């Protein structure tokens, strides 16, 4: 599992590669916190390279969503893989998060 932070059109982008589960959730939470502190509340989480995601990860993403909402920021999730999108559909979180196919799509929508 690897995490990175970059910027795209004024948004911080957190990219996750590999499996997101209970063992990697704390590192994801810390990476998102760092990115939000640096970005002023505009965040894109890029899940393009994620191969597995569990409920602990969903909890981290919900926490990020709540923090962004409280500060008037914006959060987008990039999730082109239907297997990962299915997790959001099954849990009903596709009604909470807007899922985008690419980072540019998310940045355009969140501007």
């Amino acid at each position: 599992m690897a995490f990175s932070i970059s910027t795209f059109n004024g948004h911080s982008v957190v990219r996750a590669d590999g499996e997101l589960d209970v063992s990697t959730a704390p590192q994801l939470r810390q990476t998102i916190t760092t990115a939000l502190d640096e970005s002023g509340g505009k965040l894109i989480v890029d899940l393009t390279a994620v191969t597995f995601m569990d409920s602990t990860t969903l909890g981290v993403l919900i926490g990020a969503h709540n923090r962004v909402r409280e500060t008037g920021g914006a959060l987008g999730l990039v999730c082109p893989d239907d297997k990962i999108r299915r997790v959001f559909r099954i849990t009903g979180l596709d009604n909470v998060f807007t899922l985008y196919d690419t980072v540019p799509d998310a940045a355009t929508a969140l501007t």
Side-chain angles (χ1 to χ4, degrees):
M1 171 68 1
F3 300 100
S4 64
I5 301 173
S6 61
T7 58
F8 184 86
N9 287 353
H11 294 75
S12 284
V13 179
V14 170
R15 180 178 169 87
D17 294 297
E19 295 186 1
L20 294 174
D21 57 24
V22 68
S23 66
T24 59
Q27 187 179 0
L28 174 62
R29 180 179 292 110
Q30 182 57 52
T31 305
I32 288 173
T33 298
T34 299
L36 282 171
D37 290 345
E38 294 173 359
S39 73
K42 291 185 175 184
L43 177 65
I44 297 169
V45 179
D46 185 356
L47 304 173
T48 301
V50 170
T51 57
F52 173 81
M53 188 170 65
D54 72 359
S55 61
T56 308
T57 304
L58 294 175
V60 170
L61 295 173
I62 290 167
H65 170 75
N66 291 338
R67 178 175 172 193
V68 167
R69 216 174 72 213
E70 290 171 1
T71 61
L75 172 67
L77 301 181
V78 176
C79 184
D81 186 325
D82 196 52
K83 291 179 290 185
I84 302 301
R85 280 183 181 242
R86 187 171 185 263
V87 174
F88 290 96
R89 281 193 302 271
I90 288 171
T91 59
L93 290 174
D94 58 338
N95 295 315
V96 174
F97 298 105
T98 303
L99 305 176
Y100 301 95
D101 289 329
T102 67
V103 169
D105 289 346
T108 299
L110 298 176
T111 300

